[in-house]
Structures are given as C-alpha cells and as structure tokens.
Amino acid sequence: MKNSTGKIFLVFCCTFIVLCSNCFGQISEVWVSPTGSDSNTGTKEQPLASPSMAVRKVRELRRLQQTDPSKSVHIYLSSGRYFLEEPIHIRPEDSGILNNPTILEAAPHAQVFISGGKAIVNWKLLKENLPFLLQKAKGKIWVADLPEGISLGVRQLWVNGKKATRAKNTAGIEMQRILSWNKKEQTCWIPAPKEAHLEQAKGLEFFIHQWWEVAQLRVKRIEVQGDSAKLTFYQPESRIQSEHPWPAPWISKETGNSAFYLCNALQFLDEAGEYYCDPVAQKIYYFPFSNENMLQTEVIASHLETLVRIEGTLEKPVQHFHIQNINFEHTAYWRPATHGHVAHQTGMPMTDAYKLKIAGTPEKQTLENQAWIIRPTAAVSINHSQNIHIQNCQFTHTASTGLDLYKGVHQSSVTGNVFKDIGGNGILVGNFSDEATEIHLPYNPTDLRDVSHHIQISNNLISDATNEDWGSVGIGVGFAHDIQITHNDISNVHYSGISVGWGWTRHITVLKNNLVKANKIRLYGKNMYDVAGIYTLSAQPNTQIIENVIDSIYRAPYAHIPSHWFYLYTDEGSSFMTIRDNWTASTKYLQNANGPANTWENNGPSVADSIYQKAGLAPQYQSLLRFANPYDARYAINIEKPVIVELVTAQGKTLDKEKLKVILGKSTISTSSVYQWQNHTVIFDKVQDVYLLQDRLKNAFPDVKIKTYHDLFYEFNREKCGEKKKEGAWKHILLTANLVADSNKQKAYLDAHATQFEKWPEVSKGFCNADFQQLLLFRNGRQLMLVISIPAEADFEKLNPRTTLNNPRVNDWNKAMKDYQEGLEDAPKGDTWEFFKSFEF
C-alpha cells in the first residue's frame, strides 16, 4: 500500500509538471504599470512596475522555453509616465525569433511616457534678496530645490510641456556679434555686457554661431575693458575652438561677424520663460509667464541621456525586437557641461581638430585640416542588431539625438513616428567616423557586419528638431548602404533636412545604394546656412535622390553669406548618384567639388504635379501632421534673388577681360550680366555659389577690391500693381550712390523704404505707370546699388517720367530721399546716382 501510494504520488507530480509546463508555454504577455510592483508576477492583474523588469522577465521566460514559439511576446505598458533612473537595456539574450519577436508597447488605448527627467516640485515665490538679481525680476521669480541626483545642474527644463529658456543676455531670437577672435591666445572679444559682476558668475556659457555649426563654450574668465570684454574658456573646448579651421568664427564687414549670446547667469534672468540653475546651492529659479500657476504647474528637468539602449555584438546581435506606441521624452546631453561642445558637422562633437601647416594627406593631396569626432547621445540607441522595428512612437523633449541606429544595424525599420522638440538630430543612421579615425578617411571595415544597411525610414514626421545644436539635421546617414528614406515630412529645422554621406572623399566606400524618395522638406535652414533641403557627401554608387519636394527655406538672420543656401547640395566627393524629378521652388542647387558620374534630370518647379502631390506622408499617416510646428512668423522665407558683386580697380587700371570671361563661364554667368561705370565693374545675376565666385575673382584679380551686396533691403514687383510678372525678356538699369555718413539719416532712409508701400503708396503707383517690372535696392556699408528692370524693348528715358505723371507725391518722395544720399567719392561733383553701362568684352 505504501509503495502503491508512492507511485500514485509520483504520477500526480509528473502530471502537475507537464500541466504547469504547458501553462508556462502559453505565456505571451507581461504587464507593467506605474502603480505596479516589481515583486508582482507581471500579469494584467498583478503588473510589474518597471519596463526593465519586464524585459528581464521575458528574458527568463525565453531561457526556460516558457513562451509559445508561434506567437509574439508582448510587454504591455499601462497608461502613465515611467521615470527612469537608468536606461532600459536590450541585450542579445532578449532577442526574439522571426515568428516570436518581443514587442515593447503601450497597452491597447494606453498613453505611455518613458521619461529621463526628474520632476521639480514645491515651488515657492522667492522672497530672498539675491545678489545680482535684476530689479525688474524681483517679486516675480519662483525657486525650488533640485531633485536628488542632479549634480551638474539643469540644462533642459520643460514647464507644462513647453521648453523653458536658460537665462541669456539677449531677448527672444536676438543675438549679438563678436568683435574679434584671437586664435593664438584662444580668446574672444565681445561688446561689454550691460549686466554687472559677470566675473563672479559661476557656470557662464558662450554660444556662438559659425557657418554651418554652433559651439557652446564654458567661460573661464570675463574681463571688461571699457566698452569691450575679453572671454577666455575652459579646456578642451578652448583649444579645439581656436585651432580647428572649419567651421570657424566668421569675421566680415559685409555680413557681420559671428553671432553669439551669453547664458546661465542669474544676471540674465529677466523675462518670462527663463530659468537659472545654481548647482552649488542646489536651487533652480524660474520666471513664470503670467498664466502659469507654479503651485499647479508640471516642471520636469532632463536627467538621463539615453532611455533605451539596444546593444548587441558582432557575434551575437540583438534580433527581432519591436517598440511600438510609446512616447520617449526628457533626455539630457551632459557633454557641453563637462567638455564644452564644438561640433564639426551634423552635430558631431570634435575631440581634436587643427589646420595642417603643410596641406595634403595620402588620401587627399589638397586637404588642409584634420578632425576627430565622437557621437552625440540619443534617446534610443541601437547597435549590432537585426530586425529592430520602431513604429508609431513619439520622441519629444530631447537634448540631443532622438533615435540613433549606429553600427551593425540590419534589416530594420523606423515607421510612422513623431520627432518633435529634438535638441539635435532627429534620426541618425550608420557610422560617422570612429573616435580613433580621422573624419576624412574612407570607411571600409574588414568586418562588414559593422556596417548598417537595409534600413527603411518611412512616414515619420520630424518638426522642431535641431533646436539646441543648430547644425544637426532632420535625418542624417553616414557610412551605410541600402538605406531607404521615403515619405517623411521634415519641417522647422535649423540646418539641412536630410544629409546622406560622410568623409568628403571620392574614394569608393561602403556608402552606396541609398534611396531618398518622396520626402517633403519645408521650413528648413532656420538659423544656419551652407545648407540644403537634401545634402550629400562623398562617392555613393547607385544612390538615388528622386521625387522629393523641397520648399520654403527660412531667411536665417545670422548667415555668414546670406545667399549661400540651396534646395539640393551635392558636396565634396559626391559621385555616381542620380538626382531626378525633385520639385523645388527654383533651381538653386550647388555641386561643390563633386566626383564623376552624377546624373541630374528634371529638377525644379516644372516637375509634374503628380510627384508634388505624392511626396510626404502617405495618406494613412497624414494624421501625424497635427504635430508639426507651424511657420515661425519671426523669420522671413527666402526666395532666390540675383546678387551683385562689384569689382573696383585702381584708377587707370582695367580688368583682364579674358580672365573675367573664364570665371563667368565656370560660374555659369552670362557675359551680358556684367556692367561698368568708370573703374567699377558689376556682376548682376543669380549665382548658385557667390562664395565660390568671390574666391575665383580674388584669385584672378588680387589687386582688385571685391564687394558683394547681400543686403537686399527693398523690392518692388508687379504684384504691387495687382498683376503678375510680365512674360518676355527684361533689361536692367543699374545705378549706384552713397548714403550720407550720418548714421541717424541712414536709419531714417532704411526705415522709410521699409514702410514705403504703406505710407507712400503713390511711389508704387508711379512705378506701375512707368511699366517698371522690378526694383531692387541693395546696400553694402554706405554704398547703394539700385536695379530697375524694364521690358527689353522699352526705353528707360521715356518710361521714367511716367513715375511722376499726375503723381506729385513721387516728387515729394524723391526730394525727401535726396537728404539721405550723395555721390560716390569718385563721382563728378554734384552727381548723386551714377548709371552703369553694359561691359564691353
């Protein structure tokens, strides 16, 4: 009997084990809730508290073979915000299989937020009389203690979901201009700040705009001397900023020196929406808007740099992991606080950079600089992984990159996501040079598994990206191949929309077979130039840029060369590509130092309307457009205009006509676009790259003074007459004069032209009566250039009197303007405006 009972018990135990094994074999869901507990079982009724613990649970279920191999395993996150203390790590052991992937996602109908921030609570109205706090701010500032774990301060702060501004010395989008930069001393001179005692400010920072990138430097010392101040900076950024040649601070009398602002001092806390953090006292101060109740306001400071890290190895990649319907938010970027931030391009911080004393490297005989970079951090980063799919997520409130698919990412997709309020790049793909590799070297790794390839980026909305590092891009691809970038909508970025390529090289590398198709890029170039809607670098065989729509580039207020913007831009080494059927508002393109075998076909405003209509988000994704930021009315929109370049020879000297003709040919400028008055020769035309034209002219005519007229401050066209531009040929009448030396009168002259259409409508009426097609008024310093365009067959001497016919108010205008104008120094006495004639070749 005893033995029989033992047998029965043994049979029962075996049966129980089989039954339990079958039960565990059916597990396909793990649940997580902000109100759960990590000691729970992970069921819907007993959810876990953290996504990381759910990933671990799935890992163990797979290890024990307790998942159904025919079904996906879902990690369901219930509604709420999950504040992380460390990133969620996805390792090779977390891989799924083809029919059994792991899916990290929001539960059905849930709104899920994974945050790298820390809430700041217990705000109080500041009653203490803080030293250096401005009088206008007293009684309006609120203060709170910093949360535990924030030792470097607060670089990003969101108040009710809106990004606050670190206290700075300029209002809104305004910036000042540097006075000079001393590379040898590694110092910068600026106008003396109006705020007192900045030498005592701890954590003062300097933000500078330079060409296509920005730099953020920690100020070591500020020394005020009269109306100027000298800045010195901490290392390593001080050395890198002063030694690297590209992009460097811009010094120009024509377009103004590099723009800058100072930030992160209590003295600057003077307008609503600004904050100042004192990490030593562990306090944060905020100047609220009138409609913000700080007792009821949600305030979150960024803390973690990365929220999700999917990290495999060459031998054992992460596979078959999906992320869906999750909001990633509130990431930090701490490098500027510890090392400064001096970026080369696409937001890549330099760790070393300098100009070669003797130009040339084995790979590139003309190369004059060297640079090494590291990669900025990302909210979600992916390395050495396959079949990773990111779908219907939102990436918001980040200090740096939104999503980064770095090395060895294969057969993956990024579809239907929103990237908004992104500090750096929206999406990065592929290697942009290793930390140990100089950036101009071709990339052909021995182990090709290191190369990212076959990734689809489609139907994503990217808006208000690059808002901390203005030189970042919407979508950036480095050394990678078979990347498909299709049907994305990109708007409100400070630099280029899409950038493909790296290395500045004509050498064949792993970069090939990429497709950029049917994307819509608009409202780009907000603050940076040397920019394009789509930009490429280096040889990339069989890469196609086709059927995209690129429109509405902002007029950047601090551009080094205001005309140096483009719709399409194939830069150094770009080779073996097809650029076809792209709709652009004009054919303002740049092909700079390209390699061979690029094919350009049917690009411009005449592209078929069907292509225009199909670009951008596919119909099923167009609901994402509700997240796009609208046009920023603080900025104007650029329209391609002609430019004026003037060559002034010494009296009695003439230009070499054959040299000039060669330069015009290289720049595709007609000889009919050249005009002359005495020793002044003027080129007036649309010029794709005026910077390159200037260089060619300077090299050909080293003793000639060359001036470019970027400041087009007045324009009349036929729309003012209630009609469209007349078809047919025009001819141009060019005149020049000076403004008087009185700065107040110069301002009055510019103000009068800015308001002429409203306050002096009779002037426009006169131009309409005279059949003037266009008037353009340019300025360089005191010198003015006026261009009057009339029908080619017309006679200016007959048309001009019609401006005042039965219109005496025009006479009043002309009389008023005479008080502001005078002739050039070499003009005949008594003359004001001098007429140019066609240049005789």
Side-chain angles (χ1 to χ4, degrees):
M1 186 72 176
K2 182 179 179 181
N3 191 37
S4 175
T5 302
K7 288 181 179 179
I8 292 172
F9 179 77
L10 181 61
V11 170
F12 173 80
C13 288
C14 291
T15 303
F16 177 79
I17 291 171
V18 171
L19 287 174
C20 287
S21 178
N22 286 338
C23 291
F24 283 120
Q26 299 302 309
I27 292 178
S28 60
E29 296 180 1
V30 175
W31 287 76
V32 187
S33 170
T35 60
S37 169
D38 283 341
S39 62
N40 284 346
T41 59
T43 63
K44 187 175 184 179
E45 294 73 23
Q46 290 190 320
L48 301 171
S50 63
S52 292
M53 189 59 70
V55 170
R56 182 197 294 186
K57 185 172 182 65
V58 171
R59 181 187 311 147
E60 293 305 299
L61 290 172
R62 289 191 183 282
R63 183 178 64 84
L64 298 171
Q65 297 182 343
Q66 293 174 348
T67 62
D68 186 336
S70 66
K71 294 182 178 180
S72 302
V73 177
H74 297 264
I75 299 174
Y76 284 126
L77 306 183
S78 298
S79 287
R81 178 173 279 129
Y82 297 80
F83 287 101
L84 303 185
E85 291 295 336
E86 61 180 349
I88 302 168
H89 285 269
I90 312 299
R91 301 177 172 88
E93 292 78 11
D94 302 317
S95 295
I97 57 177
L98 179 60
N99 295 317
N100 180 218
T102 299
I103 304 176
L104 176 65
E105 63 181 321
H109 311 297
Q111 284 194 314
V112 173
F113 301 86
I114 293 181
S115 173
K118 287 181 176 287
I120 300 179
V121 297
N122 299 323
W123 289 89
K124 297 178 181 178
L125 184 65
L126 178 66
K127 296 181 180 179
E128 180 185 352
N129 188 20
L130 286 182
F132 314 136
L133 183 65
L134 297 180
Q135 186 64 38
K136 64 186 292 188
K138 290 181 179 179
K140 299 177 182 178
I141 305 301
W142 287 68
V143 61
D145 293 327
L146 291 182
E148 286 186 10
I150 297 185
S151 58
L152 293 175
V154 175
R155 297 190 67 84
Q156 294 81 30
L157 187 76
W158 285 273
V159 181
N160 283 341
K162 183 178 179 181
K163 194 172 194 174
T165 302
R166 296 176 82 201
K168 59 189 182 75
N169 70 328
T170 58
I173 63 172
E174 294 178 8
M175 298 177 74
Q176 294 180 282
R177 303 284 187 156
I178 68 171
L179 300 176
S180 64
W181 196 284
N182 189 317
K183 291 189 175 183
K184 185 177 180 180
E185 293 183 358
Q186 301 178 13
T187 58
C188 176
W189 284 91
I190 63 172
K194 65 180 186 296
E195 296 83 8
H197 306 294
L198 282 180
E199 70 280 357
Q200 298 184 41
K202 304 298 182 184
L204 185 66
E205 292 188 15
F206 174 77
F207 180 101
I208 182 171
H209 173 291
Q210 41 198 23
W211 296 59
W212 59 84
E213 256 298 355
V214 299
Q216 295 166 270
L217 313 176
R218 298 169 297 159
V219 177
K220 184 176 183 180
R221 186 165 55 254
I222 179 169
E223 302 172 56
V224 178
Q225 299 181 18
D227 60 358
S228 305
K230 183 171 74 171
L231 303 177
T232 56
F233 309 101
Y234 285 99
Q235 300 291 2
E237 65 263 39
S238 180
R239 174 184 56 80
I240 297 169
Q241 167 70 3
S242 288
E243 290 189 354
H244 83 281
W246 303 106
W250 178 253
I251 305 295
S252 171
K253 291 182 179 179
E254 290 185 351
T255 60
N257 298 343
S258 276
F260 80 95
Y261 63 76
L262 297 170
C263 68
N264 201 38
L266 184 63
Q267 290 94 321
F268 302 148
L269 188 58
D270 62 355
E271 64 178 348
E274 287 189 331
Y275 72 94
Y276 168 70
C277 178
D278 184 343
V280 176
Q282 287 286 288
K283 300 285 186 183
I284 185 166
Y285 304 90
Y286 178 66
F287 192 142
F289 289 96
S290 58
N291 62 348
E292 289 176 337
N293 181 347
M294 296 306 294
L295 300 179
Q296 300 175 358
T297 296
E298 177 190 72
V299 182
I300 297 178
S302 58
H303 173 51
L304 285 186
E305 293 186 311
T306 299
L307 304 178
V308 177
R309 180 170 287 120
I310 302 177
E311 190 81 35
T313 68
L314 279 174
E315 303 302 328
K316 197 172 182 182
V318 177
Q319 300 187 64
H320 299 287
F321 198 98
H322 302 189
I323 301 177
Q324 299 175 175
N325 301 310
I326 293 175
N327 299 279
F328 297 100
E329 58 182 8
H330 305 138
T331 61
Y333 184 41
W334 292 114
R335 180 177 173 82
T338 57
H339 294 76
H341 177 75
V342 185
H344 190 278
Q345 190 166 309
T346 322
M348 301 292 161
M350 288 182 281
T351 58
D352 197 7
Y354 53 86
K355 186 172 183 177
L356 295 170
K357 292 183 179 179
I358 300 175
T361 65
E363 291 77 20
K364 196 171 184 177
Q365 296 303 310
T366 59
L367 187 65
E368 89 291 16
N369 74 98
Q370 301 276 274
W372 290 260
I373 61 170
I374 60 172
R375 205 170 182 96
T377 59
V380 175
S381 67
I382 306 174
N383 273 298
H384 295 114
S385 301
Q386 302 172 9
N387 297 105
I388 308 299
H389 302 287
I390 313 294
Q391 298 173 321
N392 304 325
C393 293
Q394 289 190 30
F395 296 76
T396 60
H397 310 327
T398 73
S400 188
T401 302
L403 173 64
D404 190 356
L405 301 92
Y406 185 13
K407 282 190 176 182
V409 183
H410 312 149
Q411 310 296 337
S412 298
S413 67
V414 181
T415 309
N417 304 283
V418 171
F419 295 82
K420 183 173 180 177
D421 186 12
I422 304 294
N425 301 288
I427 304 171
L428 284 181
V429 180
N431 189 11
F432 284 76
S433 300
D434 295 316
E435 187 173 353
T437 305
E438 205 279 324
I439 64 172
H440 300 93
L441 293 176
Y443 182 64
N444 285 301
T446 303
D447 195 329
L448 292 178
R449 291 176 299 174
D450 251 340
V451 181
S452 290
H453 61 79
H454 289 92
I455 298 170
Q456 184 171 2
I457 301 172
S458 64
N459 287 293
N460 301 284
L461 182 134
I462 300 173
S463 185
D464 187 25
T466 75
N467 60 32
E468 294 225 2
D469 185 331
W470 294 349
S472 302
V473 298
I475 299 174
V477 178
F479 289 110
H481 68 83
D482 292 278
I483 309 300
Q484 294 192 358
I485 304 172
T486 60
H487 288 284
N488 300 283
D489 188 288
I490 302 173
S491 67
N492 283 291
V493 292
H494 292 267
Y495 184 47
S496 295
I498 296 174
S499 174
V500 181
W502 195 252
W504 294 265
T505 177
R506 298 187 184 193
H507 291 276
I508 300 300
T509 67
V510 297
L511 184 58
K512 61 184 178 181
N513 300 338
N514 297 312
L515 175 66
V516 181
K517 179 180 180 180
N519 301 282
K520 181 174 283 188
I521 302 165
R522 54 205 167 83
L523 301 174
Y524 65 100
K526 199 169 185 180
N527 274 314
M528 312 304 291
Y529 272 12
D530 200 48
V531 59
I534 299 175
Y535 170 92
T536 68
L537 268 175
S538 299
Q540 34 188 309
N542 199 36
T543 286
Q544 298 183 72
I545 300 171
I546 58 176
E547 300 178 12
N548 301 281
V549 168
I550 307 171
D551 196 11
S552 301
I553 176 173
Y554 284 113
R555 188 180 300 168
Y558 310 109
H560 61 293
I561 301 175
S563 60
H564 207 67
W565 58 268
F566 310 97
Y567 295 112
L568 297 166
Y569 184 171
T570 51
D571 204 359
E572 291 193 42
S574 293
S575 317
F576 309 108
M577 298 186 301
T578 297
I579 302 97
R580 173 174 51 82
D581 295 330
N582 297 285
W583 188 96
T584 57
S586 76
T587 55
K588 195 170 194 307
Y589 311 140
L590 180 59
Q591 301 168 55
N592 178 50
N594 285 184
N598 288 328
T599 300
W600 290 74
E601 292 180 349
N602 190 39
N603 301 289
S606 61
V607 167
D609 189 59
S610 58
I611 290 175
Y612 185 96
Q613 297 299 330
K614 289 179 182 178
L617 301 177
Q620 63 269 36
Y621 292 97
Q622 288 182 3
S623 63
L624 298 182
L625 289 171
R626 70 188 188 276
F627 295 106
N629 275 27
Y631 158 65
D632 190 335
R634 297 175 298 177
Y635 296 78
I637 296 297
N638 247 315
I639 298 173
E640 184 181 13
K641 299 290 183 186
V643 297
I644 289 180
V645 179
E646 181 185 28
L647 297 89
V648 185
T649 61
Q651 288 290 353
K653 300 288 185 179
T654 58
L655 290 174
D656 185 318
K657 296 181 180 180
E658 292 306 313
K659 279 187 179 180
L660 181 58
K661 191 180 291 186
V662 169
I663 292 171
L664 295 175
K666 288 181 178 179
S667 300
T668 63
I669 298 172
S670 169
T671 55
S672 64
S673 300
V674 185
Y675 304 81
Q676 188 173 34
W677 170 73
Q678 292 189 5
N679 60 325
H680 297 254
T681 302
V682 163
I683 300 169
F684 171 69
D685 203 349
K686 289 183 176 179
V687 179
Q688 284 193 334
D689 188 356
V690 71
Y691 184 63
L692 181 58
L693 173 62
Q694 285 175 303
D695 269 0
R696 288 169 174 165
L697 292 170
K698 287 175 182 176
N699 291 333
F701 307 111
D703 298 326
V704 173
K705 182 179 181 181
I706 297 171
K707 296 171 66 177
T708 302
Y709 291 75
H710 298 288
D711 187 2
L712 173 59
F713 65 91
Y714 173 85
E715 178 181 3
F716 162 87
N717 56 47
R718 297 302 294 183
E719 290 181 0
K720 300 298 181 183
C721 309
E723 59 185 69
K724 294 183 179 179
K725 178 182 73 174
K726 280 190 177 179
E727 298 299 326
W730 293 357
K731 63 183 176 184
H732 308 295
I733 315 299
L734 273 68
L735 305 90
T736 188
N738 267 345
L739 287 173
V740 295
D742 187 323
S743 59
N744 291 327
K745 288 187 175 182
Q746 292 176 22
K747 183 179 184 303
Y749 182 85
L750 297 175
D751 290 345
H753 280 79
T755 59
Q756 184 206 74
F757 297 125
E758 293 79 27
K759 295 183 178 180
W760 294 79
E762 297 86 357
V763 177
S764 294
K765 183 180 178 181
F767 297 156
C768 296
N769 291 338
D771 207 21
F772 291 175
Q773 301 301 298
Q774 175 179 267
L775 274 85
L776 304 175
L777 195 50
F778 298 83
R779 180 174 69 109
N780 183 322
R782 287 205 296 132
Q783 190 174 348
L784 302 172
M785 286 283 181
L786 173 62
V787 182
I788 304 174
S789 302
I790 62 176
E793 72 282 358
D795 183 343
F796 178 72
E797 295 298 328
K798 293 181 179 179
L799 294 184
N800 193 41
R802 289 160 54 179
T803 60
T804 57
L805 184 64
N806 299 320
N807 195 356
R809 183 86 164 140
V810 177
N811 288 322
D812 296 338
W813 168 266
N814 292 335
K815 183 178 179 180
M817 293 304 105
K818 283 184 179 180
D819 189 42
Y820 306 125
Q821 302 162 168
E822 63 185 18
L824 269 61
E825 290 180 3
D826 45 359
K829 188 175 181 180
D831 280 7
T832 301
W833 288 97
E834 300 296 341
F835 284 78
F836 286 82
K837 295 181 179 180
S838 293
F839 188 89
E840 295 183 5
F841 282 93

